[in-house]
Structure formats: structure tokens, C-alpha cells
Amino acid sequence: MTQAGRQGSPRNGSGRTSAGHQSARTQGAGGAGRGQRDFSKGGGDRPFKRPKPREEAFIDPDLNPAGSAPESGDRNGAKPAARKPAARKPAARKPGAGKVPGTPGALKPKPRIGAGAAKATGSSAFGGERFGQNLGPVRKPARKRGPRGPVPQSELHDADGVRLQKVMASAGVASRRVCEEMIAEGRVEVDGQVVTELGMRVDPKASVIHVDGLRIQLDENMVYMVFNKPKGVVSTMEDPDGRPCVSDFVRNHHGERLFHVGRLDVATEGLLLLTNDGELANRLTHPSYEVPKTYLVQVRGPFPQGVGAQLKAGVELEDGIASVDSFKLVDSTPGHVLIEVVLHSGKNRIVRRLFDAVGFPVLRLVRVKVGPIGLGDQRQGSIRNLGKQEVGHLLASVGL
């Protein structure tokens, strides 16, 4: 395009030439007259207005010390009236925000923190323990005897012993201060008697201490383990035929001799307790304590109705009538059924014999729980130590 074409183009204004633009710039640079407009800093036909100088806020030296700036508000530095914090908008986008609290799917209320709030975690026995499973409070059966009378401290006090709260803190129950609160609240028993006085001393080797029904194991030589037995492992410490046995797994975890509580046949998998506590092992296996054991049983389906009621009512076996405490259908797939049964009988191969008697041979059998102790997500073939809270629940389940 020629120079003349560029001068008349729409981009160059209303047909003004370059000379006209140069003339306007020259007048703006030289200072426009009173009736003239300054186009040097403004656009279009709007005149340029210089901004007014900003007024500085007055600082009273009597009200504001040197170096401090007045707060926003009055020019004299007066403090503005206190404003209430704006209410926080509810999280409307969160799922369940519009539902009534307590209904399914509603948001859970946050715990209140204050003087009336619940005590911090750790006020319960072994509440701060990070090892093992948290089994909650101990469910103790109601006592048939009348209330116990007050026991003089002199009968339980051992002048050469250790302070009770120190023994509890050393056992990992809680801090010494929290242990003192537990004693004052009447939550601690020594040799079966409730103790509420803080000055009592006990012999850690001879005294039996319970906190909230949990037995405190003061003997550090006691070992309690859970072994997830795989299929094909014999439930013995030694096998003359050279088959894999429990000792093959224990040697890598502990040097002390342990023995297993109960047995599982070679084809059965799952939980097997290992310990050197002979009294606990005897009570767990004795039929009078009726320790429940939970199994997952896989059989061929379909499984008709009425068979579960038959197992609960009792089935005649070669050594007498046997039954299950509970029966629950867990899962069903084409050709297979998974069933959970709980029973306290310790007879040999009792679960397999029960299902054989009703016409459903067991395809796979796994023990997942003994008393309060469960496998959880423990890997098969692995061994883990029980937590102190788990040990307390296990001892309480057999009256220790």
C-alpha cells in the first residue's frame, strides 16, 4: 500500500494525515493553551486530568508511639470499632452437607475441644500404644457376689515395693500423671481389690494389677505371638517326617522356646497362638473356659436353607453331639459358598467332621479368630507380637 493509502486508512484516525498527528504532538509537548486540549497523555477527545496529591494520614505522637502506623479507620489513628468475624459458610459442596446430623450419609460433627470435652487419647489403659490392635474396653461379666467392702491399704501395701503409679507407667499403661488419675478414680485393682490411694507400694513380681479390667503383664520374659499358618505346615515344633513345622518360622523371630496353643491340621490355615505362658495356654485349651474360635469355611454350592439351623441345633458324630455357636453365610459364587462359623469346642477336626455330617465336605478352612485376637490383614506365613492391650484382653477372656 502507498503512503497515501496508509494516511487514509481507518487505523490512522478519521482520515487525518501523519502531519496532523505530528502537529498535535508538537502542541502537546509545547504546552497547550487555556482553551486548547492536551492530547499527549489522554486518548480520544477526553482531556487529561492530573491526579490529586494523596493526603497523608495525621499521626498523633501522643496516641501513636514512634515507628508505629495508625490502624485503618480514622485519620487521627483512632482504633475502629471491633468487628464480628464473618460467619463461615457451610461446606455446601461436601457430600452430606445438607442432611440432618445422625441420618445415613450426613457429615459427622467435629469433637468439641474445651473444659467439658472428653479426655485426650491415652487416658484409657494402653491408649497411647501404637502396636497391635485396639480392642476397646473389656467386657467383664457381672459379679454374682455382693459389693466388696473397703480394704485397708496396710493389707496391700508393701513398704519395700515400688509406687503403684510408677509400676503402671513402666508397663506402658499411660503417663505417671494419668496413672494417678486412674487410681484416684477407682479404676485400678491390686490382687483383686480396688485401690484409690496414691501412696501405695506394690511388689511388681508378686502383685496382680488390673486397669479397667485389663491385666498388666509385668513379667518381661513372657512372649505372646500370632502365627498365620499356611496350608501344608504341621502344628508341631518338630516333625520326624521332615515336613514344614512351626519351629521353621519361629526361629527367625525369637530365640526362646515357644509352644503353640491348640492345633490346626495340615490342610487348615489361619491363626495359631504361640507363647511361653503355660497358665494362659492351659486355660485357652481347657473346655471349661469355652474360648470361642471363628472359622471361614468354603464348600460347594448351592447351600440349601435349614442346614445352618441343623448345625446350630447339633449333629450326631462318632464321639457325641457337636454344634456351632453361630452360623453366617458370608459370600456365594457359582459353585462355591463361604460360611463363617463360631464354636468353642476343641475336638480334633471338629469343623470338617460337622460339615461332612451334613453332606458338604470342606474345600478350604481358615481360622481367623481365637477369643478376642484376630488375624486382620496379617500376611500368611508371618508372625507378629501381640500388643499389650491385646494381651490384656486375652488374659481377661480366661479370667486372668
Side-chain angles (χ1 to χ4, degrees):
M1 183 181 292
T2 61
Q3 184 67 21
R6 291 198 187 100
Q7 293 177 357
S9 62
R11 297 181 182 179
N12 229 358
S14 302
R16 291 195 295 266
T17 61
S18 299
H21 279 281
Q22 185 67 25
S23 175
R25 291 194 191 99
T26 305
Q27 291 180 3
R34 175 174 291 184
Q36 297 177 351
R37 296 176 180 176
D38 187 359
F39 295 98
S40 61
K41 296 183 179 181
D45 296 336
R46 296 179 58 186
F48 173 74
K49 295 183 180 180
R50 298 185 181 276
K52 295 182 179 179
R54 186 174 181 179
E55 298 182 2
E56 297 293 337
F58 175 73
I59 301 177
D60 193 343
D62 296 334
L63 298 177
N64 296 276
S68 62
E71 299 184 6
S72 60
D74 195 359
R75 291 184 178 180
N76 295 331
K79 190 174 181 179
R83 296 181 180 179
K84 296 182 179 180
R88 189 174 182 179
K89 296 183 179 180
R93 295 185 178 180
K94 292 185 178 181
K99 296 185 178 180
V100 180
T103 58
L107 295 177
K108 295 182 179 180
K110 295 183 179 180
R112 298 179 60 184
I113 301 176
K119 294 183 179 180
T121 302
S123 59
S124 59
F126 306 109
E129 185 181 26
R130 297 182 180 180
F131 185 75
Q133 299 175 357
N134 186 1
L135 302 180
V138 175
R139 297 180 180 179
K140 298 182 64 177
R143 293 181 304 176
K144 297 181 181 180
R145 297 177 296 176
R148 297 173 180 173
V151 179
Q153 180 180 348
S154 58
E155 297 184 8
L156 302 174
H157 181 75
D158 187 354
D160 298 330
V162 185
R163 287 187 178 273
L164 179 58
Q165 57 266 33
K166 184 177 180 180
V167 174
M168 294 168 56
S170 301
V173 176
S175 65
R176 191 175 300 186
R177 180 186 61 81
V178 176
C179 291
E180 292 176 354
E181 296 177 358
M182 292 178 174
I183 297 173
E185 294 171 358
R187 299 164 56 185
V188 182
E189 295 182 6
V190 178
D191 296 335
Q193 306 295 335
V194 178
V195 177
T196 57
E197 300 184 23
L198 300 179
M200 197 180 73
R201 294 176 178 268
V202 297
D203 183 5
K205 297 182 180 180
S207 300
V208 178
I209 303 173
H210 288 79
V211 181
D212 295 336
L214 287 176
R215 167 80 175 271
I216 301 176
Q217 183 54 262
L218 302 177
D219 190 352
E220 298 180 355
N221 297 322
M222 292 297 178
V223 179
Y224 306 89
M225 293 181 174
V226 171
F227 173 43
N228 189 354
K229 188 186 91 65
K231 183 179 179 179
V233 178
V234 185
S235 296
T236 57
M237 290 299 176
E238 295 181 0
D239 184 62
D241 298 333
R243 294 175 297 179
C245 54
V246 178
S247 60
D248 297 335
F249 298 86
V250 177
R251 289 170 186 167
N252 300 329
H253 294 78
H254 206 275
E256 189 175 352
R257 178 178 174 83
L258 301 175
F259 50 89
H260 52 86
V261 180
R263 285 174 177 255
L264 292 176
D265 58 68
V266 180
T268 302
E269 313 164 39
L271 191 151
L272 194 64
L273 292 174
L274 307 175
T275 183
N276 57 357
D277 191 341
E279 180 64 22
L280 173 64
N282 291 333
R283 296 198 180 195
L284 287 174
T285 54
H286 201 278
S288 62
Y289 290 96
E290 298 184 349
V291 178
K293 305 172 187 66
T294 306
Y295 294 85
L296 289 178
V297 188
Q298 187 180 39
V299 297
R300 294 195 182 277
F303 200 82
Q305 295 183 355
V307 179
Q310 183 181 356
L311 290 172
K312 294 175 67 176
V315 179
E316 181 71 28
L317 302 177
E318 61 271 13
D319 55 351
I321 298 177
S323 62
V324 300
D325 299 336
S326 69
F327 177 95
K328 183 173 65 175
L329 184 64
V330 178
D331 192 11
S332 178
T333 58
H336 293 86
V337 177
L338 187 63
I339 302 168
E340 180 189 271
V341 294
V342 180
L343 68 164
H344 60 271
S345 176
K347 295 181 180 180
N348 186 29
R349 298 174 58 89
I350 184 63
V351 178
R352 294 183 181 273
R353 290 191 292 150
L354 280 171
F355 279 84
D356 286 340
V358 296
F360 288 88
V362 174
L363 300 178
R364 186 181 180 186
L365 182 61
V366 182
R367 185 162 69 185
V368 296
K369 197 171 184 181
V370 173
I373 308 302
L375 276 181
D377 56 353
Q378 183 176 344
R379 181 174 53 85
Q380 195 174 69
S382 63
I383 297 178
R384 72 173 180 91
N385 292 300
L386 289 179
K388 294 181 179 179
Q389 185 183 134
E390 291 178 304
V391 173
H393 277 266
L394 189 61
L395 295 172
S397 65
V398 291
L400 290 176

